[in-house]
Amino acid sequence: MVNDVEAIVEISLVDSPEHRNWLLVLEQMESGLDRASRTATLGRLATVTAAAAEELAAPTPSAEWKLPSAELGQIPAELVERARDVLINQQKLIGEIRQARSAIALHLAAVRTVQQGTGQSIYVDVTS
């Protein structure tokens, strides 16, 4: 009998509005992470195909992120681990973006050191 009551209580907690709202928030955060991770991966490629560029430019629900309501309440205990995973993955992605930003800054600095051409050829034709 006690197990039946515990099962009913557990089912009612999982089906609560608070639980559903937190699930929605976590799903939005995970979707945003997936998109940001794909964008970061494509950004590391030497060339981005037209299809990939279109995918990145396409509006998605995760691109329309809104801060969750303060009335969301305390996160249900059964979702805490999932929220921790989101946080860990966000921190990893932030680190990757910082590294990419530093690499780009170095590349830009190298490009800026190249002087503008004077209109004269800078290559020597050795085939003639």
Side-chain angles (χ1 to χ4, degrees):
M1 175 85 173
V2 172
N3 288 338
D4 292 340
V5 171
E6 288 175 358
I8 291 170
V9 169
E10 187 174 318
I11 289 170
S12 66
L13 288 176
V14 170
D15 197 33
S16 71
E18 187 174 76
H19 187 273
R20 286 190 302 271
N21 291 339
W22 269 105
L23 274 176
L24 179 63
V25 167
L26 289 172
E27 287 169 4
Q28 289 173 339
M29 293 176 83
E30 290 163 342
S31 175
L33 269 171
D34 288 343
R35 181 167 168 75
S37 182
R38 283 194 315 271
T39 301
T41 299
L42 288 172
R44 287 190 294 265
L45 299 176
T47 58
V48 177
T49 65
E54 285 179 27
E55 177 187 343
L56 292 175
T60 62
S62 63
E64 301 168 8
W65 169 255
K66 293 182 180 92
L67 185 65
S69 168
E71 298 170 4
L72 190 58
Q74 185 173 354
I75 187 167
E78 62 274 7
L79 297 177
V80 169
E81 191 62 34
R82 186 170 171 183
R84 282 190 185 122
D85 289 343
V86 168
L87 176 62
I88 289 167
N89 289 327
Q90 285 176 332
Q91 291 170 338
K92 286 178 185 176
L93 189 57
I94 289 168
E96 290 175 18
I97 290 170
R98 285 186 177 144
Q99 287 178 345
R101 183 177 173 210
S102 295
I104 290 169
L106 289 173
H107 293 159
L108 285 174
V111 168
R112 288 184 182 124
T113 63
V114 176
Q115 295 181 1
Q116 295 295 324
T118 60
Q120 299 175 353
S121 175
I122 60 169
Y123 298 100
V124 178
D125 185 1
V126 295
T127 59
S128 299

